[in-house]
Amino acid sequence: YYLNEDARKQIHHYEYKGADNSLLYQYVLSPLAAFLVNNVVPKSMAPNTVTTIGLVLMITAYSSYWWYVPTLEITTNDDGNNNDNDEESPRSYPPRWIFLWNGIALLAYQTLDNMDGKQARRTGSSSPLGLLFDHGCDAINSIFGSVNVIIGMNLTPSENMFEIWLLIFGPFVMFYIATWEQFYTGELIMPIINGPSEGVVGTAILSFISYWLGSQYWQQTDWFDTFDSIFPTTFSLQLRNCDFIVIFVALGIFQEIILKSIAVAQKYKRSGQDLVPLFVLSFCYLIVGLIDPNVWFAIPRTSLHLAMTLFVEMSTELMLSHVTAQSFNPWRWQVVPLIGITIWVAIFGNSEVLQYWIIGYTWSMGAYLTMKCVCVINEICDVLEIWCFDIVTPHYKK
């Protein structure tokens, strides 16, 4: 259904080309992954199984945040004690071990993500399916890392709407543009400082700091005070510690958009239209948030899951087009209801009916994406005559 006749032929000829120039990856992360693959992982384990284990760990970490902070807002003091005298105060403060587990899960996911490719080469089971599967898991994990940072730095949704939007869609933009560049150039070259290596380690360190000092540490101005004592300024506005993190992320996004977008767009005509669905998704969320943030924050988890499913669908479709050497259709019908929601909010404002519409939209997209993933995996397995989670049992030809 998703692979036409030409795609079924082209997928046999796909070869991955890429390199990670990160010094951290070359001298620490890659040797660690190679050691674990050669000494811990059995040769009978499929590389996609290694990837899935890492994703499951991140899901458990995300679920712990979902359980303790369902509204994305920490509403109690930073010592972990809830205000039992206030009956209306939700019990949403997470114990500090949640931050510790998130940091551990992030590092474990990163290590397993580096291990799956080495396991594939070790067992001779490298395939376009493995690349696509790994890419899809990374896309899903983008939202988990964003929530990790938002809650870890105690960013209140009602007061930090723009910062939260940037931390959610910033990783989306960098991830999608890297995939878009790979689609046109045929290779994925990671710079000396990049998100999968330094970015993940930095996020894990942020979680460990939140565990050790408490999430309220990021709302203090220690970093600015230190900077101001060394380099006195005349600014009346003091920057919080979390503001430095947001500024750093913003600079990374700006660099990714400017450098890569200009380089690819100048060389490949009409390539810019492939960025349309990503920017429609991002700016629809921003416009609605600026008009009435409560549209999203009234059902924050559902809103996050909607953004995740839309992003995963368009990014994996771009990667599927890459491995099958097909043209990418940037006009995604999946974002049309989101455009309708944006227009509705701009004209009529928020309403209870709109919340039910968002919930239905999210569940529908989740069901569609699940069905699509199952179909694509089965079709690729049938074409390549392999199994997704089994490299031992021979595949039968349908």
Side-chain angles (χ1 to χ4, degrees):
Y1 186 84
Y2 288 98
L3 301 183
N4 56 36
E5 194 62 32
D6 182 63
R8 297 169 74 89
K9 295 178 181 178
Q10 294 294 336
I11 197 172
H12 286 283
H13 305 293
Y14 178 78
E15 292 184 5
Y16 172 76
K17 297 179 181 179
D20 193 332
N21 295 322
S22 167
L23 299 179
L24 178 63
Y25 174 82
Q26 294 178 7
Y27 294 104
V28 179
L29 301 179
S30 182
L32 174 61
F35 173 81
L36 294 175
V37 166
N38 295 328
N39 295 277
V40 178
V41 181
K43 293 191 69 174
S44 59
M45 179 177 288
N48 291 337
T49 303
V50 178
T51 309
T52 304
I53 293 173
L55 182 62
V56 169
L57 290 175
M58 285 304 303
I59 291 175
T60 62
Y62 174 73
S63 298
S64 66
Y65 271 158
W66 191 356
W67 177 263
Y68 285 100
V69 194
T71 62
L72 297 181
E73 182 175 352
I74 298 176
T75 57
T76 55
N77 56 17
D78 201 39
D79 60 3
N81 296 321
N82 291 283
N83 185 6
D84 295 331
N85 295 325
D86 186 359
E87 296 180 356
E88 297 182 357
S89 177
R91 300 188 59 185
S92 60
Y93 187 81
R96 288 194 184 182
W97 65 262
I98 295 297
F99 302 124
L100 176 63
W101 172 238
N102 274 268
I104 294 174
L106 270 170
L107 295 179
Y109 177 85
Q110 181 188 56
T111 303
L112 291 164
D113 190 44
N114 292 329
M115 289 168 57
D116 56 10
K118 300 182 184 300
Q119 175 71 353
R121 291 185 289 272
R122 175 195 182 200
T123 58
S125 58
S126 299
S127 70
L129 175 62
L131 178 65
L132 188 63
F133 191 90
D134 179 82
H135 185 87
C137 290
D138 289 341
I140 295 173
N141 191 52
S142 296
I143 195 69
F144 298 158
S146 297
V147 173
N148 190 351
V149 173
I150 292 169
I151 298 179
M153 295 195 305
N154 194 8
L155 293 177
T156 305
S158 58
E159 300 175 357
N160 302 273
M161 191 280 299
F162 182 78
E163 290 85 348
I164 290 177
W165 174 81
L166 188 66
L167 291 173
I168 291 174
F169 289 94
F172 285 179
V173 169
M174 292 188 286
F175 187 93
Y176 188 90
I177 288 184
T179 306
W180 173 68
E181 181 187 33
Q182 184 181 14
F183 175 77
Y184 281 98
T185 63
E187 58 183 8
L188 180 62
I189 306 298
M190 306 299 293
I192 191 170
I193 297 178
N194 58 72
S197 297
E198 287 79 7
V200 172
V201 172
T203 304
I205 293 176
L206 185 148
S207 293
F208 293 143
I209 293 176
S210 298
Y211 164 72
W212 186 256
L213 301 177
S215 60
Q216 197 59 34
Y217 166 78
W218 300 102
Q219 299 297 317
Q220 300 172 4
T221 60
D222 303 58
W223 296 3
F224 180 84
D225 295 339
T226 301
F227 178 83
D228 189 57
S229 63
I230 300 175
F231 305 100
T233 64
T234 58
F235 296 127
S236 59
L237 178 65
Q238 285 187 316
L239 296 178
R240 301 167 298 176
N241 297 340
C242 62
D243 293 329
F244 285 91
I245 302 297
V246 174
I247 292 173
F248 180 79
V249 172
L251 292 176
I253 298 170
F254 181 78
Q255 172 185 306
E256 194 81 3
I257 293 177
I258 298 300
L259 296 182
K260 290 190 175 182
S261 298
I262 293 178
V264 175
Q266 287 180 343
K267 189 175 181 180
Y268 302 93
K269 304 302 180 183
R270 299 178 63 86
S271 59
Q273 66 180 6
D274 296 339
L275 299 178
V276 170
L278 175 67
F279 288 114
V280 169
L281 170 63
S282 302
F283 286 106
C284 280
Y285 262 79
L286 178 61
I287 292 171
V288 172
L290 292 175
I291 296 175
D292 189 350
N294 196 51
V295 173
W296 302 129
F297 295 137
I299 45 175
R301 295 293 175 169
T302 302
S303 302
L304 285 174
H305 298 159
L306 175 60
M308 178 186 70
T309 53
L310 292 173
F311 170 71
V312 170
E313 194 281 329
M314 64 180 64
S315 62
T316 51
E317 179 65 24
L318 181 58
M319 178 57 69
L320 178 63
S321 301
H322 169 61
V323 299
T324 57
Q326 304 298 300
S327 60
F328 173 67
N329 179 16
W331 312 111
R332 315 303 299 163
W333 60 263
Q334 294 84 355
V335 300
V336 172
L338 179 62
I339 297 175
I341 291 174
T342 306
I343 296 174
W344 176 279
V345 173
I347 298 176
F348 303 104
N350 193 8
S351 67
E352 184 177 352
V353 174
L354 185 62
Q355 304 301 318
Y356 286 108
W357 172 255
I358 295 174
I359 293 173
Y361 183 19
T362 304
W363 277 97
S364 300
M365 279 304 306
Y368 165 75
L369 183 61
T370 302
M371 179 274 297
K372 180 179 179 179
C373 291
V374 172
C375 289
V376 169
I377 290 175
N378 279 300
E379 289 183 30
I380 295 179
C381 287
D382 183 46
V383 172
L384 300 179
E385 299 184 25
I386 59 175
W387 299 111
C388 184
F389 297 107
D390 186 355
I391 58 175
V392 177
T393 307
H395 190 277
Y396 60 85
K397 182 63 177 177
K398 290 185 180 179

